[in-house]
Each structure stands twice: as C-alpha cells, then as structure tokens.
Amino acid sequence: MVQSLVVLAERGLSPADAERLVALHDPDRPSVRVLVPAGRRRNVLVDVLDHLSLLELREALGAVQGHVERTPGQAEADVRSTVAALQGLGCDASGEVVTGDPVQALDEQVRAGADEVVIVTVPHAV
C-alpha cells in the first residue's frame, strides 16, 4: 500500500492521466506531491529531432526559430491544475515548481519518505 507518492512531470497532468494515476492505487488514495520544473532549457537539436520523429513539422520549425523556456508562471499553472485534478479524485495533493535540478528535488522527496515515484514526460524520440 502506497502512502506517499511523488510525481515529477514536465507538464501538468491531463484529467485522464490523473485518473489513471489514481486508478493504479485503488481503493487507496495516496498523498501526492507534484513537482513541475520551470526554466530548464533543452537542447535545440534534441527538440527538433523529437518533433520531426513525431511528424510535428510546424513544432520542429518553431524549435529552430526560437527556443522558449517554460516560465515559472506556466509551471505554477500546471502544478495548480494537477493538484486540483488529484484532489478532485479524493487524494491529498500538494505541489511545487522546481527551479533547480528536478532530479535533486525528486531525491529530496524520496529522502523525506516518499513510498513511490512517478515520472511523467511528453514523448521524446531522443
């Protein structure tokens, strides 16, 4: 039985993703801590290859023309929406924006007693 769950997500969870996450722990409702990184730059070449491999031509061109970082405000909106979705499903949920190394933030949560870790990313070819 999982008591404490940490979710590290590149973006906010969709309502369907939140439902799937909670369904994995039925009938229990774990306490969930959501971490969403902000301000992390990715490699432009990796982004272009990712988009091309998924046949996202417009997004690949956009990655070449201007590489925009996720702002803390965008990450905060993702945290709020994910926490609200999890709370709506009966979980005790909280979250934070991670401006430093997300792996270090995840490690700190595990050392603080998290029972399980879930990492959610968008599709990447590279």
Side-chain angles (χ1 to χ4, degrees), residues 44-67:
V44 173
L45 179 59
V46 170
D47 279 352
V48 170
L49 291 175
D50 275 347
H51 290 303
L52 289 176
S53 70
L54 296 169
L55 300 176
E56 298 172 340
L57 303 180
R58 182 170 295 154
E59 290 85 351
L61 180 61
V64 170
Q65 291 175 337
H67 200 69

Side-chain angles (χ1 to χ4, degrees), residues 14-38:
S14 70
D17 287 337
E19 287 177 17
R20 281 189 286 274
L21 180 69
V22 172
L24 290 173
H25 299 93
D26 267 347
D28 301 316
R29 292 293 188 256
S31 172
V32 183
R33 181 78 174 154
V34 178
L35 306 175
V36 178

Side-chain angles (χ1 to χ4, degrees), residues 35 101-113:
L35 306 175
D101 181 4
V103 175
Q104 182 179 353
L106 186 60
D107 182 56
E108 290 170 6
Q109 293 294 316
V110 170
R111 290 178 190 271

Side-chain angles (χ1 to χ4, degrees), residues 71-123:
T71 67
Q74 291 168 320
E76 181 62 36
D78 285 342
V79 168
R80 281 193 311 270
S81 67
T82 300
V83 166
L86 292 167
Q87 289 173 339
L89 294 168
C91 292
D92 176 28
S94 63
E96 70 178 281
V97 173
V98 177
T99 56
D101 181 4
V103 175
Q104 182 179 353
L106 186 60
D107 182 56
E108 290 170 6
Q109 293 294 316
V110 170
R111 290 178 190 271
D115 296 314
E116 184 177 322
V117 171
V118 175
I119 300 173
V120 182
T121 66
V122 294

